[in-house]
Amino acid sequence: MKFLAITLIVHRPDPVTGVHKSTHDRFREVLDNALLAEELGFDGFGVGERHERPFLSSSPTVVLSHVAALTRRIRLFTAVTTLSLLDPVRAYEDYATLDHLSDGRLDLIIGKGNGTAQRELFHVTPEEQWDRNAESYQVFRRIWRQDKVTAATRFRPELTDAEVWPRPYQRPVRVWHGSATSKESVELAARYGDPLFSANVTHPIEPYAELIRHYRERWEFYGHDPAEIAVGAGTAGIHVAPTTQEALAAYRPVFASHLAFLKEADLPVVFETLEDFAERSSALIGSPQQIIDKVHRYHEQFGHTVLHLHADANGLTAGQHRDSLELFQAEVAPVLRRDIPDPPFPWAPVLEEPVHA
């Protein structure tokens, strides 16, 4: 199993202390967390893309380029690239450049994006966002693979023998499809034989498991080899401590603040108590053995081989967060790496077109 540390670069006051860092300091924290992730042995570091408050992740290529310059081994992920909002030609130019600067350490996770404010910012309607996402991906995919592209498009000017530079380093870049509960994202992934990354952060396991089962069915429908399926899954939070009691005690003020925020914003509350959150959500809160057992339970439903954890402290102190990640890497990750297989492809630059593409 492979492990990613991911940030959406949320920028709001600390949920426990109320301290609101400056934008500059928040970006420095992201870079520090990327270096920590590589130091501790994580396999990937991901940066989201959002174009609305309270996120600072509107330019993931810029952030990941800086991370690429500071690191040497860790693979770089987008989480997710909101192709429904982007011109696929411009997106290709940015990511092909990053692909070279990172020596082929780039993986993309794409998705339609969400949020009313960012849709309005880019003049994208809810009715057309899935069509935009599919078209942008189809064009992006062809540009990555072909030196000249002709494409009749609805949402950007048509392309006629278009040459887009630079040509990429990876041939091609691996693209995962991020999904929450929508079959549209699953359908696109299955059609092209691409891996799937389940958000797995808001609800109990059932809706995510159902969507992954649907993905597997559609994968076989399109004639792909079931042995080549790769699924990743997110987590709703993390705090690993030597004992359950210590983990819950440290995370309790974080959960209380999050619950208050949901109620104040009139957002749905799925888990009313920390104990329910720790038991039924995807959050990894508890002793090392509890974390191992929970990941195994999810793996029985998902069959996933990649797991993402929060790169940010999210209300824990920096020391608590580092101790948690160190304990995860020392006592949890080795067991899961042994028990759960890696994805069915090398964790390395993709320099040869897959047979099914």
Side-chain angles (χ1 to χ4, degrees), residues 13 65 99 116 120 127 149 185 203 275 290 296 308-309 317:
S65 291
D99 189 39
T116 301
E120 292 178 349
E127 294 76 21
V149 173
S185 56
H203 305 286
E275 286 71 18
Q290 281 182 300
H296 272 292
H308 92 49
L309 309 175
T317 67

Side-chain angles (χ1 to χ4, degrees), residues 22-73:
S22 69
T23 298
H24 180 79
D25 287 347
R26 184 69 182 96
F27 277 124
R28 297 307 308 178
E29 185 177 52
V30 170
L31 300 178
D32 290 343
N33 287 338
L35 289 170
L36 177 63
E38 179 162 89
E39 175 192 337
L40 295 181
F42 279 86
D43 302 290
F45 184 82
V47 174
E49 180 179 340
R50 296 292 188 275
H51 298 271
E52 60 185 324
R53 185 180 300 187
F55 304 100
L56 300 179
S57 50
S58 57
S59 297
T61 47
V62 177
V63 178
L64 287 172
S65 291
H66 199 100
V67 172
L70 296 175
T71 58
R72 292 294 176 267
R73 177 195 59 79

Side-chain angles (χ1 to χ4, degrees), residues 4 43-47 64 75-79 106-107 109 176 347:
L4 316 181
D43 302 290
F45 184 82
V47 174
L64 287 172
R75 288 195 68 77
L76 310 175
F77 281 73
T78 62
L106 176 64
D107 273 50
I109 307 175
W176 303 68
W347 202 255

Side-chain angles (χ1 to χ4, degrees), residues 68-299:
L70 296 175
T71 58
R72 292 294 176 267
R73 177 195 59 79
I74 200 165
R75 288 195 68 77
L76 310 175
F77 281 73
T78 62
V80 300
T81 297
T82 54
L83 275 183
S84 66
L85 307 178
L86 306 179
D87 181 331
V89 175
R90 191 70 185 95
Y92 166 82
E93 292 172 334
D94 285 344
Y95 283 110
T97 301
L98 173 55
D99 189 39
H100 280 283
L101 295 177
S102 66
D103 292 327
R105 286 188 282 146
L106 176 64
D107 273 50
L108 295 178
I109 307 175
I110 68 164
K112 70 170 179 60
N114 54 35
T116 301
Q118 62 181 9
R119 282 200 308 266
E120 292 178 349
L121 183 65
F122 288 87
H123 296 277
V124 174
T125 67
E127 294 76 21
E128 69 185 19
Q129 59 187 348
W130 282 113
D131 290 340
R132 281 181 173 271
N133 184 64
E135 178 182 289
S136 290
Y137 178 53
Q138 290 158 4
V139 173
F140 180 94
R141 193 174 191 278
R142 289 183 59 193
I143 294 173
W144 202 284
R145 288 163 169 78
Q146 300 172 17
D147 292 338
K148 292 185 178 181
V149 173
T150 297
T153 50
R154 288 176 56 198
F155 301 109
R156 59 144 289 125
E158 294 186 359
L159 300 173
T160 303
D161 288 333
E163 295 181 276
V164 189
W165 295 89
R167 300 312 301 149
Y169 181 73
Q170 294 189 88
R171 298 296 179 107
V173 68
R174 180 172 295 111
V175 177
W176 303 68
H177 294 249
S179 73
T181 56
S182 172
K183 288 185 177 180
E184 284 89 347
S185 56
V186 165
E187 181 72 19
L188 198 62
R191 183 193 317 168
Y192 286 108
D194 293 332
L196 185 74
F197 216 107
S198 172
N200 191 40
V201 296
T202 305
H203 305 286
I205 192 171
E206 290 80 10
Y208 304 113
E210 180 181 353
L211 201 65
I212 291 171
R213 286 192 294 269
H214 180 70
Y215 166 68
R216 294 179 182 276
E217 292 169 1
R218 298 303 291 171
W219 177 280
E220 294 194 39
F221 171 83
Y222 285 109
H224 305 305
D225 184 351
E228 295 182 359
I229 284 180
V231 174
T235 54
I238 181 170
H239 186 58
V240 190
T243 67
T244 306
Q245 293 76 16
E246 290 173 276
L248 290 173
Y251 207 85
R252 194 169 298 281
V254 178
F255 179 80
S257 176
H258 177 66
L259 188 63
F261 169 78
L262 292 177
K263 292 180 177 179
E264 181 180 349
D266 199 27
L267 295 171
V269 174
V270 179
F271 307 101
E272 291 279 359
T273 67
L274 174 60
E275 286 71 18
D276 189 36
F277 181 65
E279 175 62 28
R280 293 196 306 120
S281 83
S282 62
L284 303 179
I285 302 168
S287 67
Q289 189 59 54
Q290 281 182 300
I291 304 308
I292 292 168
D293 292 344
K294 174 175 270 192
V295 174
H296 272 292
R297 291 200 306 273
Y298 271 76
H299 179 70

